Every structure is written in structure tokens, then in C-alpha cells.
Amino acid sequence: IIAPDELCVTNELQYIGTVAIDHAARYEWSLPYGFVIQDGEESADLWVSLNPDAVSGTITVSGKNQCGVGEPFSKEISIRQMPKVEAGPNIYTNCKNNTQLSATSVAPYAGTWRVVKGHAVFADAQTEVTELGLGENFLVWEVNNGICTKADTVMVYNNSAPKAEVEISNLHVTCENEVLLRAAEPQIGTGIWECVGGNAEIENPNSNIALATQLDFGKNTFRWTTRN
């Protein structure tokens, strides 16, 4: 019989098979409790699912034809239960780029975190995660019991204040009464230009690139503010 010595209860179909038995027209299988044949019944190749209450036991197969059923072949198979794996509820950081994770403890097995979207730095299940990317960060808590791997995902939304960066120099000299303001577009949230010294009219002030006109003679000061 072709089958692993141990299986885990997962949502994946598992293969169980046998080499061809001489003169067999069909195959008669006996499986432990909780093994459910999904494809290949009475063939040499089975695909089975495992119920949550599947148990260890003996797999047997016999070849059969119009003359009867042959001697069975058998193999012992063990079920290894997976621990409960939960990464915790989705989190909104409330204007911070760090937060506390709350994955389930999986002792004596080891769990590891990895990032599938965004950015994060973390150490273990019950620790603070730092250096989160802006917006959505998808983190996976993955547990291996020596045979199988089970994982769960948590979304951590970092809505900390975006960085405001102006792309023109502090001292900008113009002979015209207008200037083109440039700032880095925020990764998250919105930005707005304001004239905080002198006087000017700002066209489309919520754009990171905006034209300021009707400048006062002398010094005019502009501020770019980002908000999430």
C-alpha cells in the first residue's frame, strides 16, 4: 500500500494507493474511521478527505474479480492532530506603527510569523510588532507539527501619520508672481497646501503638485500638511 506513515487532519485531499494486484478487476478498500473516499472508489488509486474526528488505524486493500476477493494487503497509518492555529483578530493601530499580536500559543510546537503583504518586524506569537508599513499589512502565523503545516492570517492596518516631504528648496527665488509647489504624494491619507506667510492663491491645494499665484513681493511661506 502506498501511503504515508502519518497524516494530519487538514482540508487537503490525501492520496492512498496500491501497486497493481494480479488478476484484479476492482479493489476493495477498508479505511480507518473518519477517512472518506472522494475519488477512485474500487480503483488502485484513492483520494480521501479526513474528518476532524479521524483516527489512526489499519488500511487494507484486496483485489477482486468474478471469482471472488483475494488476500488483503495492509498498512498501519497514524493521525497527528494539528493544534488550534489563530493569528488573532484584525487590528487597527490607532495612529501608531506598532501594535501587540495575539496569536494562539501552540506549545510544544513552534510557530513563526511571516509577511505576505506590507512590512513588519516581529519576534514571536505574543509580542509587539513594529515598523509596520502604512495601510494594510497581512501577517501569517504558521505552525508546523513535524508533519504538516497550518496557518492563519491577520490584517494589521497602520494608520499612523504619513510623512510630509516638500520637494522644493526652502529658498526658492522667482521673478514671476507664481511658483509651482511640489511635495511627495502621501502613501496614505491626504495632503493640503497652505500659505502661512505672505499671500498667495493656491490652485488645487489638495494636490501634492499645485500652482501658487498672485504672490506678495518678498517672502512667501507655504506649508504642506498630510493627514490620514
Side-chain angles (χ1 to χ4, degrees):
I1 293 177
I2 304 167
D5 294 329
E6 292 183 294
L7 284 175
C8 296
V9 177
T10 69
N11 294 327
E12 298 177 358
L13 293 180
Q14 305 291 339
Y15 173 79
I16 296 174
T18 182
V19 296
I21 299 175
D22 291 343
H23 311 300
R26 299 185 305 281
Y27 294 81
E28 186 173 279
W29 290 91
S30 174
L31 302 174
Y33 179 81
F35 286 61
V36 181
I37 298 174
Q38 300 294 339
D39 188 46
E41 189 166 5
E42 292 196 317
S43 76
D45 301 290
L46 300 183
W47 287 96
V48 303
S49 60
L50 301 179
N51 290 337
D53 55 353
V55 298
S56 304
T58 304
I59 300 171
T60 62
V61 62
S62 302
K64 62 180 181 179
N65 57 25
Q66 68 274 16
C67 297
V69 180
E71 290 294 319
F73 298 90
S74 65
K75 178 182 176 67
E76 295 297 317
I77 192 165
S78 297
I79 295 297
R80 183 177 291 195
Q81 295 292 338
M82 289 293 296
K84 186 178 182 180
V85 177
E86 292 183 351
N90 292 338
I91 300 170
Y92 291 81
T93 64
N94 193 26
C95 299
K96 300 184 297 181
N97 72 345
N98 62 292
T99 191
Q100 191 77 22
L101 297 172
S102 57
T104 52
S105 174
V106 291
Y109 306 117
T112 57
W113 284 103
R114 60 185 174 90
V115 181
V116 293
K117 179 184 176 183
H119 185 271
V121 175
F122 30 58
D124 55 49
Q126 305 293 335
T127 194
E128 186 179 52
V129 59
T130 60
E131 299 183 32
L132 291 163
L134 287 174
E136 292 181 341
N137 298 273
F138 286 90
L139 315 178
V140 172
W141 176 234
E142 198 167 68
V143 178
N144 187 285
N145 68 359
I147 299 296
C148 305
T149 299
K150 190 175 182 180
D152 189 37
T153 301
V154 62
M155 187 278 291
V156 180
Y157 194 93
N158 173 17
N159 62 349
S160 60
K163 186 177 181 180
E165 294 181 291
V166 176
E167 295 181 346
I168 61 174
S169 63
N170 286 332
L171 180 62
H172 186 86
V173 179
T174 178
C175 295
E176 308 294 332
N177 70 341
E178 63 183 39
V179 65
L180 188 62
L181 306 173
R182 294 179 180 272
E185 186 175 3
Q187 293 177 288
I188 187 172
T190 60
I192 187 169
W193 284 105
E194 299 172 275
C195 181
V196 294
N199 186 65
E201 294 292 329
I202 302 174
E203 299 177 6
N204 195 13
N206 293 110
S207 172
N208 62 306
I209 301 176
L211 182 66
T213 63
Q214 302 179 36
L215 301 177
D216 269 359
F217 182 78
K219 182 180 178 180
N220 296 272
T221 304
F222 300 93
R223 180 170 59 201
W224 172 245
T225 303
T226 55
R227 297 182 178 88
N228 59 13

